Structures are given as C-alpha cells and as structure tokens.
Amino acid sequence: MKRIVFFDIDGTLTRGVTSGAYLANLLGHGKLMEKAEAAYARGEIDNDEVCRIDAAGYAGHSTEELFGMLEAMPLVDGVARAVEAVHAADGEARIASLTWGVVAAYLCERYGFDGYVGSELEVKDGACTGGVALALEGEGKCAYARELCAARGADLAACIAIGDSRSDIPLFKLVGTSIAFNATEEAERAATHAYRGTDIAEALALVL
C-alpha cells in the first residue's frame, strides 16, 4: 500500500526564517509580518488574520516574480534527498502547510514534491490582488490528508507527517507516524518521534 509523507514548510523546510517573513521583508512589510507571526505563535490571532495582514503586501506581484524571490530563501539540508528517499520507497512526498501555496508550488517545482495544500493568495489577470482566496488552518491539513489517502488507496496509519509547531499537531494525531523536527515542546509531545538537527533527510531516515 502506498505511503504518503506530509512535510510542513515554515520551521521545517525553511531554516532560520519563515517563508512569510522572508517574502515580506523583500516586499517591504517585514516588520508588520514579524508582529503578526509572533501574535499567531502566542495564539492571539488565527491564520486567517495573519493571511489578511500579509496578503496586502503582495498586491501587483505575479507568481513568476515570487518564484524568483524564493530562489535564495534559506532551507534546511537534505530536502532533495528526503524527497528522493520517499520516492525510492514508492511513496509520495506532499507539502501540507499553512503558508502561501505559491511557496509550496515553488518547492514542488524545485525539488519534485508531488503536490501540496496551503493558503492561497487571490490572483486576477496573473497578479496578486492583495486579497486572500483561502486561509488554511491546521484541520485543513487533515482534510487534505484524508482526501488524498482516499483517492490513493493509502492508509492514514501508514503515513508520516513532519513538522515543528502547533499547526502540525492535528496531522500528527491523524497519521500513524510523526516527526517533530526542531519543534516546540508542544509539538514534540504530540509526535511519535523527535529530531533536532540540520538535515531533514536524516530525520526522515528514523522512520522510512
């Protein structure tokens, strides 16, 4: 039976910065996003509000422009090897993240991930409008996993999730195996495995 591995982005695939903060700094609203992400981490606002604040800074920018900006975004070691390991085990490597889908789409193109779910910027005539098409919450990752497993004939109990924070916990509880990668204490308590280091392929090797 096919096994699906779900990867978070921010704090899991990114190194030292969230993708939202990285892009916001380049787009000119970095300080605003720092405050929003800190408030989200404290549980004071939800992802819908973070997305609303962030999306305004993307107005007028195309996906192609954003892909270009993402080329220098710092990532952890071993991303390509992790995807290769999943494929070598006849599995699918999927991204399940609350961050913008454009970031996930870029990582799919660069590293060969098999697909993603994420929040979505509103786009019209090839450019971002500054609005939000979809603000995903943690349960949205679970809905994606359920639908994908049903379509693939995969057993959720055979699947793996890798993440680092509270938004990953619902998915950790849904799948059979989970890895808290350089994670918060709360996420580590919810995961079946915990790993601290710089290489995500080494973390995945614990269970794959």
Side-chain angles (χ1 to χ4, degrees):
M1 181 174 286
K2 183 174 286 291
R3 171 180 279 184
I4 302 171
V5 183
F6 298 95
F7 294 79
D8 176 48
I9 293 179
D10 291 334
T12 303
L13 297 180
T14 64
R15 175 172 49 82
V17 67
T18 66
S19 59
Y22 173 80
L23 284 172
N25 283 330
L26 294 178
L27 293 169
H29 62 286
K31 294 295 184 183
L32 192 62
M33 270 305 289
E34 283 181 20
K35 292 180 181 179
E37 290 189 341
Y40 176 81
R42 294 191 298 268
E44 296 171 0
I45 61 175
D46 60 15
N47 194 51
D48 184 78
E49 181 67 9
V50 176
C51 287
R52 186 192 65 77
I53 292 167
D54 192 24
Y58 287 76
H61 293 278
S62 68
T63 297
E64 185 178 3
E65 288 179 278
L66 297 174
F67 271 30
M69 293 177 185
L70 288 165
E71 288 180 0
M73 183 173 65
L75 299 172
V76 296
D77 298 332
V79 178
R81 286 185 286 108
V83 174
E84 289 167 3
V86 175
H87 289 163
D90 196 30
E92 290 188 20
R94 296 272 175 164
I95 293 174
S97 173
L98 302 191
T99 197
W100 297 123
V102 66
V103 180
Y106 167 78
L107 293 170
C108 287
E109 183 176 286
R110 180 173 175 181
Y111 291 106
F113 286 97
D114 298 294
Y116 70 89
V117 69
S119 297
E120 296 294 346
L121 293 157
E122 184 180 67
V123 177
K124 186 176 181 180
D125 297 328
C128 298
T129 66
V132 179
L134 173 67
L136 198 74
E137 293 292 348
E139 287 298 332
K141 297 183 180 185
C142 294
Y144 176 66
R146 290 189 190 98
E147 291 168 7
L148 190 62
C149 284
R152 296 289 188 273
D155 185 352
L156 282 164
C159 294
I160 301 167
I162 305 177
D164 71 298
S165 66
R166 66 185 175 91
S167 69
D168 298 298
I169 292 174
L171 189 55
F172 282 2
K173 293 179 177 179
L174 182 67
V175 300
T177 304
S178 51
I179 304 171
F181 183 67
N182 298 324
T184 63
E185 290 183 9
E186 184 183 16
E188 285 193 349
R189 287 195 298 270
T192 59
H193 296 74
Y195 181 91
R196 292 194 174 271
T198 61
D199 193 309
I200 197 163
E202 290 182 0
L204 185 59
L206 294 173
V207 299
L208 189 64

